[in-house]
Amino acid sequence: MSEFQYYEFRAIDKPLSSKARAEISSWSSRTTADAHSAIFTYSYSDFPKNAHQVVEEYFDMMLYYANWGSVQLIIKLPLDLIDLRKIEQYCVGDTISLSKKNDFVLLDFEFNEDEGFEDWIDLQGYLSRLIGIREEILSGNYHSLYLGWLHSIWRARDWEDFEGSDLAPELPDSPPQLTDSLLAFIDLLGIDPVIKDFWMQQSPPAKHTKLLDIAQQISLLSDAEKQAYLLRLAEGEALLSTKFLNHLKKIAEKEEKPQNQSSQKSVQEILAYLHEVETMRINEEQRLKEKDRVEKLEGWAKKEASFWQEVKKNIEEKNAKSYDYAIKILLNLKELAEYKNKTSEFEKRMNEIVQSYSRLSSFKDKLFQKRLIERN
């Protein structure tokens, strides 16, 4: 399998300057940066820069994908728009990490599959679908972080140094909602359906179920605050809508009466539940698979006599294609005999076939290769 690496960078809060675009375009003869993005692909070489430093200086998000099993999503978040303590609780080793840089942090999701990816993702426009993840985190919606955390502990559950007695992080404040961004995030990381189903069943803490009444919260602002926000709007301040809504949420939270919170589960409790659900799913899949197998075999049983006739007909045509078809039918008849506990009868008929066509050495070789007969 040939190597393939994909880097896509996106500037969201403000466009790249002409100087920055020229600098970024100089890194590869096959890439021309536009006002908001740059894409680099490699089959035989590597990206010449440090991806974290590139995001720090020029961009707000980066998607990296390598077909041998690596995927990485870096998100730059303004420090004054996030609750760092809440985000930190979702970090897990090297898979979900934070690095603080002056007035922003880099949130880094990085996962590696030892055996590579079975199916390649269509990367064209994929980062555009993930932009909503950044918007959700900035607005205080941490469902992507919770899903990433679940995915991380599920992958790490069998590691020798794994600690399962720790408490799980807080549930996100809003009810689970399967947005397009989260769907893209789930597909990118290959999150198990067991984890997605568990996440969808979670309920947010009771104190956060009340929707924010924006009009009511605005009425609580002083005239000076309103005037200041209007001025910032007129000046075109980036992310002002998010900043304003976060300010209103803080006012609303101060007004809420504290309520009893349900006790947090331990990591081990969550893993035990996920394991139980996974076991039930596997058992059901096996049950359905066996049901289909039995129905198939019962159908073959009704046609057993005609199958043996078809085998004889194809052998007598004496060519490679007809031999292969006869072998395919014989393998089905062997499976049917094992199902009906009539393997001795099947072996007897196989011996009769070998004796009747003893001169067909190439056919006998095929029978041996498929373990339908043994060498004398």
PDB file of all heavy atoms in Angstrom, residues 243-278:
ATOM      1  N   LYS A 243     -18.739  35.719  22.294  1.00  0.00           N
ATOM      2  CA  LYS A 243     -18.363  36.390  23.542  1.00  0.00           C
ATOM      3  C   LYS A 243     -19.602  36.941  24.257  1.00  0.00           C
ATOM      4  O   LYS A 243     -19.727  36.831  25.481  1.00  0.00           O
ATOM      5  CB  LYS A 243     -17.381  37.516  23.254  1.00  0.00           C
ATOM      6  CG  LYS A 243     -16.041  37.056  22.700  1.00  0.00           C
ATOM      7  CD  LYS A 243     -15.167  38.248  22.302  1.00  0.00           C
ATOM      8  CE  LYS A 243     -13.856  37.789  21.674  1.00  0.00           C
ATOM      9  NZ  LYS A 243     -13.019  38.920  21.212  1.00  0.00           N
ATOM     10  N   PHE A 244     -20.519  37.513  23.481  1.00  0.00           N
ATOM     11  CA  PHE A 244     -21.722  38.114  24.062  1.00  0.00           C
ATOM     12  C   PHE A 244     -22.618  37.042  24.680  1.00  0.00           C
ATOM     13  O   PHE A 244     -23.102  37.191  25.812  1.00  0.00           O
ATOM     14  CB  PHE A 244     -22.473  38.894  22.976  1.00  0.00           C
ATOM     15  CG  PHE A 244     -23.677  39.645  23.475  1.00  0.00           C
ATOM     16  CD1 PHE A 244     -23.564  40.583  24.491  1.00  0.00           C
ATOM     17  CD2 PHE A 244     -24.932  39.403  22.935  1.00  0.00           C
ATOM     18  CE1 PHE A 244     -24.674  41.284  24.950  1.00  0.00           C
ATOM     19  CE2 PHE A 244     -26.044  40.086  23.373  1.00  0.00           C
ATOM     20  CZ  PHE A 244     -25.910  41.032  24.395  1.00  0.00           C
ATOM     21  N   LEU A 245     -22.836  35.943  23.962  1.00  0.00           N
ATOM     22  CA  LEU A 245     -23.677  34.873  24.487  1.00  0.00           C
ATOM     23  C   LEU A 245     -23.061  34.237  25.731  1.00  0.00           C
ATOM     24  O   LEU A 245     -23.777  33.898  26.683  1.00  0.00           O
ATOM     25  CB  LEU A 245     -23.903  33.802  23.415  1.00  0.00           C
ATOM     26  CG  LEU A 245     -24.843  34.192  22.272  1.00  0.00           C
ATOM     27  CD1 LEU A 245     -24.872  33.107  21.212  1.00  0.00           C
ATOM     28  CD2 LEU A 245     -26.263  34.434  22.799  1.00  0.00           C
ATOM     29  N   ASN A 246     -21.748  34.062  25.740  1.00  0.00           N
ATOM     30  CA  ASN A 246     -21.089  33.513  26.923  1.00  0.00           C
ATOM     31  C   ASN A 246     -21.260  34.431  28.130  1.00  0.00           C
ATOM     32  O   ASN A 246     -21.431  33.968  29.262  1.00  0.00           O
ATOM     33  CB  ASN A 246     -19.600  33.297  26.646  1.00  0.00           C
ATOM     34  CG  ASN A 246     -19.344  32.098  25.740  1.00  0.00           C
ATOM     35  OD1 ASN A 246     -20.249  31.306  25.475  1.00  0.00           O
ATOM     36  ND2 ASN A 246     -18.121  31.968  25.253  1.00  0.00           N
ATOM     37  N   HIS A 247     -21.231  35.733  27.886  1.00  0.00           N
ATOM     38  CA  HIS A 247     -21.436  36.708  28.963  1.00  0.00           C
ATOM     39  C   HIS A 247     -22.851  36.585  29.523  1.00  0.00           C
ATOM     40  O   HIS A 247     -23.050  36.597  30.751  1.00  0.00           O
ATOM     41  CB  HIS A 247     -21.190  38.114  28.429  1.00  0.00           C
ATOM     42  CG  HIS A 247     -21.356  39.185  29.458  1.00  0.00           C
ATOM     43  ND1 HIS A 247     -20.585  39.255  30.600  1.00  0.00           N
ATOM     44  CD2 HIS A 247     -22.232  40.241  29.521  1.00  0.00           C
ATOM     45  CE1 HIS A 247     -20.961  40.305  31.317  1.00  0.00           C
ATOM     46  NE2 HIS A 247     -21.958  40.910  30.685  1.00  0.00           N
ATOM     47  N   LEU A 248     -23.836  36.421  28.640  1.00  0.00           N
ATOM     48  CA  LEU A 248     -25.226  36.266  29.089  1.00  0.00           C
ATOM     49  C   LEU A 248     -25.409  34.969  29.872  1.00  0.00           C
ATOM     50  O   LEU A 248     -26.159  34.925  30.855  1.00  0.00           O
ATOM     51  CB  LEU A 248     -26.176  36.288  27.892  1.00  0.00           C
ATOM     52  CG  LEU A 248     -26.250  37.591  27.081  1.00  0.00           C
ATOM     53  CD1 LEU A 248     -27.263  37.456  25.957  1.00  0.00           C
ATOM     54  CD2 LEU A 248     -26.609  38.785  27.974  1.00  0.00           C
ATOM     55  N   LYS A 249     -24.724  33.912  29.449  1.00  0.00           N
ATOM     56  CA  LYS A 249     -24.827  32.632  30.162  1.00  0.00           C
ATOM     57  C   LYS A 249     -24.283  32.753  31.577  1.00  0.00           C
ATOM     58  O   LYS A 249     -24.838  32.185  32.527  1.00  0.00           O
ATOM     59  CB  LYS A 249     -24.063  31.546  29.400  1.00  0.00           C
ATOM     60  CG  LYS A 249     -24.755  31.079  28.129  1.00  0.00           C
ATOM     61  CD  LYS A 249     -23.898  30.057  27.402  1.00  0.00           C
ATOM     62  CE  LYS A 249     -24.529  29.658  26.080  1.00  0.00           C
ATOM     63  NZ  LYS A 249     -23.658  28.711  25.324  1.00  0.00           N
ATOM     64  N   LYS A 250     -23.183  33.492  31.725  1.00  0.00           N
ATOM     65  CA  LYS A 250     -22.606  33.664  33.063  1.00  0.00           C
ATOM     66  C   LYS A 250     -23.569  34.413  33.983  1.00  0.00           C
ATOM     67  O   LYS A 250     -23.694  34.098  35.166  1.00  0.00           O
ATOM     68  CB  LYS A 250     -21.272  34.424  32.960  1.00  0.00           C
ATOM     69  CG  LYS A 250     -20.153  33.590  32.351  1.00  0.00           C
ATOM     70  CD  LYS A 250     -18.868  34.395  32.252  1.00  0.00           C
ATOM     71  CE  LYS A 250     -17.756  33.564  31.623  1.00  0.00           C
ATOM     72  NZ  LYS A 250     -16.488  34.329  31.482  1.00  0.00           N
ATOM     73  N   ILE A 251     -24.269  35.395  33.425  1.00  0.00           N
ATOM     74  CA  ILE A 251     -25.263  36.132  34.217  1.00  0.00           C
ATOM     75  C   ILE A 251     -26.377  35.193  34.647  1.00  0.00           C
ATOM     76  O   ILE A 251     -26.824  35.196  35.799  1.00  0.00           O
ATOM     77  CB  ILE A 251     -25.842  37.309  33.403  1.00  0.00           C
ATOM     78  CG1 ILE A 251     -24.746  38.334  33.095  1.00  0.00           C
ATOM     79  CG2 ILE A 251     -26.986  37.971  34.165  1.00  0.00           C
ATOM     80  CD1 ILE A 251     -25.210  39.458  32.188  1.00  0.00           C
ATOM     81  N   ALA A 252     -26.837  34.367  33.708  1.00  0.00           N
ATOM     82  CA  ALA A 252     -27.925  33.429  34.006  1.00  0.00           C
ATOM     83  C   ALA A 252     -27.503  32.409  35.060  1.00  0.00           C
ATOM     84  O   ALA A 252     -28.294  32.058  35.943  1.00  0.00           O
ATOM     85  CB  ALA A 252     -28.357  32.714  32.723  1.00  0.00           C
ATOM     86  N   GLU A 253     -26.265  31.924  34.989  1.00  0.00           N
ATOM     87  CA  GLU A 253     -25.788  30.920  35.948  1.00  0.00           C
ATOM     88  C   GLU A 253     -25.723  31.497  37.361  1.00  0.00           C
ATOM     89  O   GLU A 253     -25.972  30.806  38.344  1.00  0.00           O
ATOM     90  CB  GLU A 253     -24.408  30.406  35.525  1.00  0.00           C
ATOM     91  CG  GLU A 253     -24.467  29.489  34.300  1.00  0.00           C
ATOM     92  CD  GLU A 253     -23.086  29.122  33.780  1.00  0.00           C
ATOM     93  OE1 GLU A 253     -22.091  29.589  34.381  1.00  0.00           O
ATOM     94  OE2 GLU A 253     -23.010  28.385  32.785  1.00  0.00           O
ATOM     95  N   LYS A 254     -25.407  32.772  37.478  1.00  0.00           N
ATOM     96  CA  LYS A 254     -25.354  33.406  38.794  1.00  0.00           C
ATOM     97  C   LYS A 254     -26.744  33.477  39.424  1.00  0.00           C
ATOM     98  O   LYS A 254     -26.883  33.447  40.650  1.00  0.00           O
ATOM     99  CB  LYS A 254     -24.768  34.813  38.671  1.00  0.00           C
ATOM    100  CG  LYS A 254     -23.275  34.835  38.359  1.00  0.00           C
ATOM    101  CD  LYS A 254     -22.773  36.259  38.229  1.00  0.00           C
ATOM    102  CE  LYS A 254     -21.275  36.281  37.887  1.00  0.00           C
ATOM    103  NZ  LYS A 254     -20.775  37.665  37.707  1.00  0.00           N
ATOM    104  N   GLU A 255     -27.771  33.577  38.570  1.00  0.00           N
ATOM    105  CA  GLU A 255     -29.138  33.698  39.072  1.00  0.00           C
ATOM    106  C   GLU A 255     -29.740  32.355  39.469  1.00  0.00           C
ATOM    107  O   GLU A 255     -30.694  32.304  40.248  1.00  0.00           O
ATOM    108  CB  GLU A 255     -30.035  34.331  38.004  1.00  0.00           C
ATOM    109  CG  GLU A 255     -29.664  35.756  37.667  1.00  0.00           C
ATOM    110  CD  GLU A 255     -30.538  36.308  36.555  1.00  0.00           C
ATOM    111  OE1 GLU A 255     -30.961  35.502  35.714  1.00  0.00           O
ATOM    112  OE2 GLU A 255     -30.801  37.507  36.566  1.00  0.00           O
ATOM    113  N   GLU A 256     -29.199  31.281  38.937  1.00  0.00           N
ATOM    114  CA  GLU A 256     -29.766  29.963  39.200  1.00  0.00           C
ATOM    115  C   GLU A 256     -29.472  29.520  40.627  1.00  0.00           C
ATOM    116  O   GLU A 256     -28.398  29.739  41.167  1.00  0.00           O
ATOM    117  CB  GLU A 256     -29.181  28.925  38.228  1.00  0.00           C
ATOM    118  CG  GLU A 256     -29.696  29.084  36.819  1.00  0.00           C
ATOM    119  CD  GLU A 256     -29.068  28.066  35.884  1.00  0.00           C
ATOM    120  OE1 GLU A 256     -28.087  27.409  36.307  1.00  0.00           O
ATOM    121  OE2 GLU A 256     -29.542  27.931  34.750  1.00  0.00           O
ATOM    122  N   LYS A 257     -30.467  28.847  41.212  1.00  0.00           N
ATOM    123  CA  LYS A 257     -30.282  28.288  42.537  1.00  0.00           C
ATOM    124  C   LYS A 257     -29.534  26.967  42.411  1.00  0.00           C
ATOM    125  O   LYS A 257     -29.830  26.174  41.529  1.00  0.00           O
ATOM    126  CB  LYS A 257     -31.631  28.054  43.210  1.00  0.00           C
ATOM    127  CG  LYS A 257     -32.403  29.341  43.479  1.00  0.00           C
ATOM    128  CD  LYS A 257     -33.728  29.029  44.131  1.00  0.00           C
ATOM    129  CE  LYS A 257     -34.516  30.320  44.399  1.00  0.00           C
ATOM    130  NZ  LYS A 257     -35.825  30.031  45.031  1.00  0.00           N
ATOM    131  N   PRO A 258     -28.565  26.722  43.284  1.00  0.00           N
ATOM    132  CA  PRO A 258     -27.830  25.453  43.194  1.00  0.00           C
ATOM    133  C   PRO A 258     -28.744  24.263  43.432  1.00  0.00           C
ATOM    134  O   PRO A 258     -29.632  24.310  44.289  1.00  0.00           O
ATOM    135  CB  PRO A 258     -26.777  25.578  44.307  1.00  0.00           C
ATOM    136  CG  PRO A 258     -27.334  26.592  45.253  1.00  0.00           C
ATOM    137  CD  PRO A 258     -28.125  27.552  44.412  1.00  0.00           C
ATOM    138  N   GLN A 259     -28.554  23.200  42.641  1.00  0.00           N
ATOM    139  CA  GLN A 259     -29.351  21.992  42.754  1.00  0.00           C
ATOM    140  C   GLN A 259     -28.434  20.811  42.990  1.00  0.00           C
ATOM    141  O   GLN A 259     -27.259  20.828  42.648  1.00  0.00           O
ATOM    142  CB  GLN A 259     -30.178  21.773  41.477  1.00  0.00           C
ATOM    143  CG  GLN A 259     -31.129  22.930  41.195  1.00  0.00           C
ATOM    144  CD  GLN A 259     -31.990  22.643  39.981  1.00  0.00           C
ATOM    145  OE1 GLN A 259     -32.318  21.494  39.694  1.00  0.00           O
ATOM    146  NE2 GLN A 259     -32.365  23.687  39.267  1.00  0.00           N
ATOM    147  N   ASN A 260     -29.014  19.795  43.599  1.00  0.00           N
ATOM    148  CA  ASN A 260     -28.225  18.598  43.860  1.00  0.00           C
ATOM    149  C   ASN A 260     -27.819  17.938  42.561  1.00  0.00           C
ATOM    150  O   ASN A 260     -28.646  17.723  41.678  1.00  0.00           O
ATOM    151  CB  ASN A 260     -29.038  17.608  44.709  1.00  0.00           C
ATOM    152  CG  ASN A 260     -29.299  18.148  46.102  1.00  0.00           C
ATOM    153  OD1 ASN A 260     -28.480  18.892  46.642  1.00  0.00           O
ATOM    154  ND2 ASN A 260     -30.434  17.774  46.686  1.00  0.00           N
ATOM    155  N   GLN A 261     -26.562  17.630  42.441  1.00  0.00           N
ATOM    156  CA  GLN A 261     -26.061  16.970  41.244  1.00  0.00           C
ATOM    157  C   GLN A 261     -25.949  15.471  41.473  1.00  0.00           C
ATOM    158  O   GLN A 261     -25.610  15.014  42.561  1.00  0.00           O
ATOM    159  CB  GLN A 261     -24.668  17.521  40.888  1.00  0.00           C
ATOM    160  CG  GLN A 261     -24.684  19.005  40.578  1.00  0.00           C
ATOM    161  CD  GLN A 261     -25.496  19.299  39.339  1.00  0.00           C
ATOM    162  OE1 GLN A 261     -25.238  18.731  38.285  1.00  0.00           O
ATOM    163  NE2 GLN A 261     -26.476  20.162  39.460  1.00  0.00           N
ATOM    164  N   SER A 262     -26.258  14.713  40.444  1.00  0.00           N
ATOM    165  CA  SER A 262     -26.089  13.274  40.544  1.00  0.00           C
ATOM    166  C   SER A 262     -24.599  12.955  40.652  1.00  0.00           C
ATOM    167  O   SER A 262     -23.760  13.660  40.098  1.00  0.00           O
ATOM    168  CB  SER A 262     -26.675  12.578  39.313  1.00  0.00           C
ATOM    169  OG  SER A 262     -26.063  13.068  38.147  1.00  0.00           O
ATOM    170  N   SER A 263     -24.275  11.929  41.444  1.00  0.00           N
ATOM    171  CA  SER A 263     -22.869  11.578  41.633  1.00  0.00           C
ATOM    172  C   SER A 263     -22.244  11.138  40.315  1.00  0.00           C
ATOM    173  O   SER A 263     -22.876  10.449  39.523  1.00  0.00           O
ATOM    174  CB  SER A 263     -22.757  10.464  42.672  1.00  0.00           C
ATOM    175  OG  SER A 263     -23.493   9.322  42.248  1.00  0.00           O
ATOM    176  N   GLN A 264     -20.990  11.536  40.120  1.00  0.00           N
ATOM    177  CA  GLN A 264     -20.287  11.165  38.896  1.00  0.00           C
ATOM    178  C   GLN A 264     -19.908   9.696  38.929  1.00  0.00           C
ATOM    179  O   GLN A 264     -19.547   9.157  39.962  1.00  0.00           O
ATOM    180  CB  GLN A 264     -19.022  12.021  38.745  1.00  0.00           C
ATOM    181  CG  GLN A 264     -19.297  13.458  38.348  1.00  0.00           C
ATOM    182  CD  GLN A 264     -18.000  14.245  38.288  1.00  0.00           C
ATOM    183  OE1 GLN A 264     -17.614  14.872  39.256  1.00  0.00           O
ATOM    184  NE2 GLN A 264     -17.333  14.200  37.142  1.00  0.00           N
ATOM    185  N   LYS A 265     -19.983   9.065  37.779  1.00  0.00           N
ATOM    186  CA  LYS A 265     -19.572   7.666  37.673  1.00  0.00           C
ATOM    187  C   LYS A 265     -18.052   7.588  37.609  1.00  0.00           C
ATOM    188  O   LYS A 265     -17.375   8.522  37.202  1.00  0.00           O
ATOM    189  CB  LYS A 265     -20.173   7.027  36.414  1.00  0.00           C
ATOM    190  CG  LYS A 265     -21.682   6.892  36.416  1.00  0.00           C
ATOM    191  CD  LYS A 265     -22.151   6.190  35.155  1.00  0.00           C
ATOM    192  CE  LYS A 265     -23.642   5.926  35.159  1.00  0.00           C
ATOM    193  NZ  LYS A 265     -24.429   7.159  35.130  1.00  0.00           N
ATOM    194  N   SER A 266     -17.518   6.438  37.978  1.00  0.00           N
ATOM    195  CA  SER A 266     -16.098   6.211  37.791  1.00  0.00           C
ATOM    196  C   SER A 266     -15.864   5.747  36.361  1.00  0.00           C
ATOM    197  O   SER A 266     -16.786   5.287  35.674  1.00  0.00           O
ATOM    198  CB  SER A 266     -15.587   5.143  38.762  1.00  0.00           C
ATOM    199  OG  SER A 266     -16.070   3.862  38.384  1.00  0.00           O
ATOM    200  N   VAL A 267     -14.617   5.862  35.927  1.00  0.00           N
ATOM    201  CA  VAL A 267     -14.263   5.388  34.587  1.00  0.00           C
ATOM    202  C   VAL A 267     -14.578   3.903  34.458  1.00  0.00           C
ATOM    203  O   VAL A 267     -15.105   3.447  33.439  1.00  0.00           O
ATOM    204  CB  VAL A 267     -12.768   5.641  34.312  1.00  0.00           C
ATOM    205  CG1 VAL A 267     -12.352   5.009  32.989  1.00  0.00           C
ATOM    206  CG2 VAL A 267     -12.466   7.138  34.308  1.00  0.00           C
ATOM    207  N   GLN A 268     -14.287   3.135  35.519  1.00  0.00           N
ATOM    208  CA  GLN A 268     -14.507   1.691  35.474  1.00  0.00           C
ATOM    209  C   GLN A 268     -15.986   1.355  35.338  1.00  0.00           C
ATOM    210  O   GLN A 268     -16.359   0.389  34.647  1.00  0.00           O
ATOM    211  CB  GLN A 268     -13.936   1.038  36.740  1.00  0.00           C
ATOM    212  CG  GLN A 268     -13.654  -0.454  36.578  1.00  0.00           C
ATOM    213  CD  GLN A 268     -12.647  -0.726  35.464  1.00  0.00           C
ATOM    214  OE1 GLN A 268     -11.568  -0.163  35.460  1.00  0.00           O
ATOM    215  NE2 GLN A 268     -13.012  -1.573  34.515  1.00  0.00           N
ATOM    216  N   GLU A 269     -16.857   2.119  35.977  1.00  0.00           N
ATOM    217  CA  GLU A 269     -18.302   1.885  35.859  1.00  0.00           C
ATOM    218  C   GLU A 269     -18.770   2.094  34.429  1.00  0.00           C
ATOM    219  O   GLU A 269     -19.583   1.313  33.901  1.00  0.00           O
ATOM    220  CB  GLU A 269     -19.060   2.827  36.805  1.00  0.00           C
ATOM    221  CG  GLU A 269     -18.978   2.446  38.273  1.00  0.00           C
ATOM    222  CD  GLU A 269     -19.663   3.458  39.159  1.00  0.00           C
ATOM    223  OE1 GLU A 269     -19.410   4.677  39.003  1.00  0.00           O
ATOM    224  OE2 GLU A 269     -20.463   3.048  40.016  1.00  0.00           O
ATOM    225  N   ILE A 270     -18.266   3.144  33.797  1.00  0.00           N
ATOM    226  CA  ILE A 270     -18.648   3.414  32.407  1.00  0.00           C
ATOM    227  C   ILE A 270     -18.142   2.307  31.495  1.00  0.00           C
ATOM    228  O   ILE A 270     -18.871   1.820  30.617  1.00  0.00           O
ATOM    229  CB  ILE A 270     -18.106   4.788  31.963  1.00  0.00           C
ATOM    230  CG1 ILE A 270     -18.850   5.903  32.705  1.00  0.00           C
ATOM    231  CG2 ILE A 270     -18.248   4.969  30.448  1.00  0.00           C
ATOM    232  CD1 ILE A 270     -18.345   7.294  32.399  1.00  0.00           C
ATOM    233  N   LEU A 271     -16.895   1.877  31.704  1.00  0.00           N
ATOM    234  CA  LEU A 271     -16.327   0.815  30.874  1.00  0.00           C
ATOM    235  C   LEU A 271     -17.086  -0.496  31.057  1.00  0.00           C
ATOM    236  O   LEU A 271     -17.299  -1.241  30.091  1.00  0.00           O
ATOM    237  CB  LEU A 271     -14.853   0.619  31.204  1.00  0.00           C
ATOM    238  CG  LEU A 271     -13.899   1.716  30.717  1.00  0.00           C
ATOM    239  CD1 LEU A 271     -12.488   1.445  31.217  1.00  0.00           C
ATOM    240  CD2 LEU A 271     -13.911   1.810  29.200  1.00  0.00           C
ATOM    241  N   ALA A 272     -17.492  -0.785  32.292  1.00  0.00           N
ATOM    242  CA  ALA A 272     -18.244  -2.014  32.549  1.00  0.00           C
ATOM    243  C   ALA A 272     -19.573  -1.990  31.793  1.00  0.00           C
ATOM    244  O   ALA A 272     -19.991  -3.001  31.215  1.00  0.00           O
ATOM    245  CB  ALA A 272     -18.484  -2.178  34.053  1.00  0.00           C
ATOM    246  N   TYR A 273     -20.217  -0.838  31.793  1.00  0.00           N
ATOM    247  CA  TYR A 273     -21.478  -0.710  31.067  1.00  0.00           C
ATOM    248  C   TYR A 273     -21.254  -0.869  29.563  1.00  0.00           C
ATOM    249  O   TYR A 273     -21.996  -1.597  28.883  1.00  0.00           O
ATOM    250  CB  TYR A 273     -22.119   0.642  31.361  1.00  0.00           C
ATOM    251  CG  TYR A 273     -23.370   0.902  30.549  1.00  0.00           C
ATOM    252  CD1 TYR A 273     -24.592   0.385  30.941  1.00  0.00           C
ATOM    253  CD2 TYR A 273     -23.304   1.645  29.365  1.00  0.00           C
ATOM    254  CE1 TYR A 273     -25.730   0.606  30.193  1.00  0.00           C
ATOM    255  CE2 TYR A 273     -24.440   1.859  28.602  1.00  0.00           C
ATOM    256  CZ  TYR A 273     -25.654   1.338  29.022  1.00  0.00           C
ATOM    257  OH  TYR A 273     -26.770   1.553  28.259  1.00  0.00           O
ATOM    258  N   LEU A 274     -20.230  -0.196  29.037  1.00  0.00           N
ATOM    259  CA  LEU A 274     -19.938  -0.287  27.606  1.00  0.00           C
ATOM    260  C   LEU A 274     -19.611  -1.725  27.210  1.00  0.00           C
ATOM    261  O   LEU A 274     -20.038  -2.206  26.151  1.00  0.00           O
ATOM    262  CB  LEU A 274     -18.762   0.625  27.255  1.00  0.00           C
ATOM    263  CG  LEU A 274     -19.021   2.130  27.329  1.00  0.00           C
ATOM    264  CD1 LEU A 274     -17.726   2.905  27.121  1.00  0.00           C
ATOM    265  CD2 LEU A 274     -20.055   2.564  26.303  1.00  0.00           C
ATOM    266  N   HIS A 275     -18.863  -2.425  28.070  1.00  0.00           N
ATOM    267  CA  HIS A 275     -18.508  -3.820  27.786  1.00  0.00           C
ATOM    268  C   HIS A 275     -19.762  -4.698  27.752  1.00  0.00           C
ATOM    269  O   HIS A 275     -19.901  -5.575  26.886  1.00  0.00           O
ATOM    270  CB  HIS A 275     -17.546  -4.334  28.843  1.00  0.00           C
ATOM    271  CG  HIS A 275     -17.167  -5.771  28.667  1.00  0.00           C
ATOM    272  ND1 HIS A 275     -16.354  -6.212  27.637  1.00  0.00           N
ATOM    273  CD2 HIS A 275     -17.527  -6.887  29.371  1.00  0.00           C
ATOM    274  CE1 HIS A 275     -16.211  -7.521  27.724  1.00  0.00           C
ATOM    275  NE2 HIS A 275     -16.905  -7.953  28.757  1.00  0.00           N
ATOM    276  N   GLU A 276     -20.675  -4.462  28.680  1.00  0.00           N
ATOM    277  CA  GLU A 276     -21.917  -5.241  28.721  1.00  0.00           C
ATOM    278  C   GLU A 276     -22.740  -5.017  27.457  1.00  0.00           C
ATOM    279  O   GLU A 276     -23.259  -5.974  26.858  1.00  0.00           O
ATOM    280  CB  GLU A 276     -22.733  -4.847  29.955  1.00  0.00           C
ATOM    281  CG  GLU A 276     -24.034  -5.618  30.102  1.00  0.00           C
ATOM    282  CD  GLU A 276     -24.823  -5.191  31.321  1.00  0.00           C
ATOM    283  OE1 GLU A 276     -24.325  -4.354  32.110  1.00  0.00           O
ATOM    284  OE2 GLU A 276     -25.955  -5.683  31.486  1.00  0.00           O
ATOM    285  N   VAL A 277     -22.849  -3.750  27.045  1.00  0.00           N
ATOM    286  CA  VAL A 277     -23.615  -3.437  25.836  1.00  0.00           C
ATOM    287  C   VAL A 277     -22.949  -4.046  24.610  1.00  0.00           C
ATOM    288  O   VAL A 277     -23.618  -4.598  23.721  1.00  0.00           O
ATOM    289  CB  VAL A 277     -23.757  -1.909  25.669  1.00  0.00           C
ATOM    290  CG1 VAL A 277     -24.400  -1.569  24.330  1.00  0.00           C
ATOM    291  CG2 VAL A 277     -24.586  -1.326  26.806  1.00  0.00           C
ATOM    292  N   GLU A 278     -21.609  -3.961  24.556  1.00  0.00           N
ATOM    293  CA  GLU A 278     -20.891  -4.537  23.423  1.00  0.00           C
ATOM    294  C   GLU A 278     -21.093  -6.048  23.362  1.00  0.00           C
ATOM    295  O   GLU A 278     -21.302  -6.616  22.276  1.00  0.00           O
ATOM    296  CB  GLU A 278     -19.401  -4.222  23.532  1.00  0.00           C
ATOM    297  CG  GLU A 278     -18.604  -4.756  22.340  1.00  0.00           C
ATOM    298  CD  GLU A 278     -17.115  -4.661  22.529  1.00  0.00           C
ATOM    299  OE1 GLU A 278     -16.635  -5.026  23.620  1.00  0.00           O
ATOM    300  OE2 GLU A 278     -16.426  -4.239  21.592  1.00  0.00           O
TER     301      GLU A 278
END
